[in-house]
Structure formats: C-alpha cells, structure tokens
Amino acid sequence: NGSKLFLGCDGGIYQTTATASTWINLSLGIMASHQYHLGVSPTNSNLVFVGGLQVYRSANGGVSWSKTNPNTVHVDDHDLQFTSNGSKLFLGCDGGIYQTTSTASTWNNLSHGIMATQQYHLGVSQTNPNLFLYGAQDNDVNVWNNGNWDGQALNADGFEVAINPTNNTVMFGESQYGGLARSTNSGASFT
C-alpha cells in the first residue's frame, strides 16, 4: 500500500516510511548474508520475506523474523516475487524456482525439467568413456557412471574435479571454503 519501503543491501535490511526521513535496521536475528532480496506482499506491507542464504518471514513489518524454508528448498536466494494479489510467493535461487503462499508452510519445487545448472569443471575418465564427473556452482559434485547419475556425490558447492588417469576408481572433488574430498570407489562416496 506504499506506507513502508524496504531496502536489502550488503549492510542489512532497512525499513522506512514514504518520506524516508529515518531508516530502521531490521537485520537483527537474521543470519548475515552478502545478498539480501526482499519480497513484500502487495496487499499487506507488514508481510515481508527476505532471501539470502535462507528465506526468512516477518508478519509484523520486520520486528521479528522466522526461517521459513525447509531443507528441501535450495539455498542461495536471488529473487522473491509475489503475485499481484499476494496469494503466491515465488523464490528464484541456485536450485531453481520454488513457490509458496503467504504463510510459507509448504514450498513447491517448480524446477523439474529446467536445465539451469552452471558447471565449473569437468573430469573425464581416460579408461572408461562412460565415467565422468563435474562440479556445479552451488549444486554439488555429480558423477555419471555407465549411464546413471550418482548425483550429488559431494553435497556441497562443486568446483574443480579430477579422475586419476590410470585408476578411474580414484577421483577428487573440491567444494567451498577450500574443501577437498577423495573417492576410491568411482564416486559412490567421498571422504
């Protein structure tokens, strides 16, 4: 209704009125993130969603917040958009597109069939043409082994990957914060 203005930036989440004479920091209690994205209901300016690493919901204009997305919703949020009547909220994130209602009690994954994963690096076996792995931005290290995806073998942000050129049962995958893992069973598990 235009009575409140919300701003998400590197410094946090702020709220002001239409005059913008004072700004209130609403970030307290929300996990710090370098990326804040806001979704404000077009029919209720007290209903605010904030996305970053996770999605948080406030029903009182940002006075208090609660985490809303379960573990089945992908992290690293990039956009939150309400429908014009405020009945649905859409989340765009590194895992695709999700939809919920204003209560955020359940989230529906709408990403099936969307091929939007960004691969960082590809590792190909030199002895088996049906064995390779790739590191995907925010979507794990994934292994293709003889016609089957052993997918999400590392369960992390996938980066550089490699398969030993003389022993394809040995492979390596990197993850965020300098993580390095090794598999000795063609990617079935990593340590």
Side-chain angles (χ1 to χ4, degrees):
N1 63 9
S3 64
K4 295 179 183 175
L5 174 69
F6 293 88
L7 170 69
C9 62
D10 286 346
I13 304 149
Y14 296 87
Q15 181 252 313
T16 189
T17 61
T19 63
S21 57
T22 58
W23 290 84
I24 301 167
N25 186 336
L26 303 175
S27 304
L28 300 175
I30 296 180
M31 182 183 295
S33 174
H34 64 282
Q35 53 186 10
Y36 288 113
H37 302 280
L38 301 172
V40 181
S41 170
T43 59
N44 177 0
S45 63
N46 283 317
L47 183 59
V48 183
F49 286 80
V50 174
L53 186 61
Q54 302 287 327
V55 177
Y56 290 83
R57 177 184 183 272
S58 175
N60 54 16
V63 175
S64 62
W65 299 92
S66 60
K67 182 178 154 190
T68 65
N69 55 333
N71 292 336
T72 55
V73 175
H74 202 284
V75 297
D76 295 337
D77 309 315
H78 297 285
D79 202 6
L80 289 160
Q81 294 290 326
F82 271 96
T83 55
S84 61
N85 66 4
S87 65
K88 293 181 182 178
L89 175 70
F90 292 90
L91 164 67
C93 63
D94 284 350
I97 302 168
Y98 293 82
Q99 178 263 317
T100 190
T101 63
S102 60
T103 62
S105 57
T106 60
W107 291 81
N108 300 313
N109 186 345
L110 306 178
S111 310
H112 302 294
I114 296 175
M115 305 303 282
T117 304
Q118 175 185 345
Q119 286 78 30
Y120 280 125
H121 196 265
L122 179 68
V124 179
S125 169
Q126 300 302 300
T127 58
N128 179 353
N130 294 307
L131 179 63
F132 66 89
L133 71 159
Y134 69 87
Q137 190 245 336
D138 296 324
N139 283 288
D140 310 309
V141 168
N142 297 272
V143 179
W144 177 263
N145 192 349
N146 292 315
N148 294 305
W149 282 110
D150 290 342
Q152 302 181 344
L154 196 50
N155 288 327
D157 296 345
F159 293 109
E160 295 287 330
V161 292
I163 298 176
N164 184 309
T166 59
N167 180 358
N168 64 22
T169 63
V170 177
M171 43 182 72
F172 295 89
E174 287 184 328
S175 61
Q176 71 272 29
Y177 308 116
L180 177 64
R182 179 179 69 154
S183 173
T184 57
N185 55 10
S186 299
S189 62
F190 282 82
T191 56

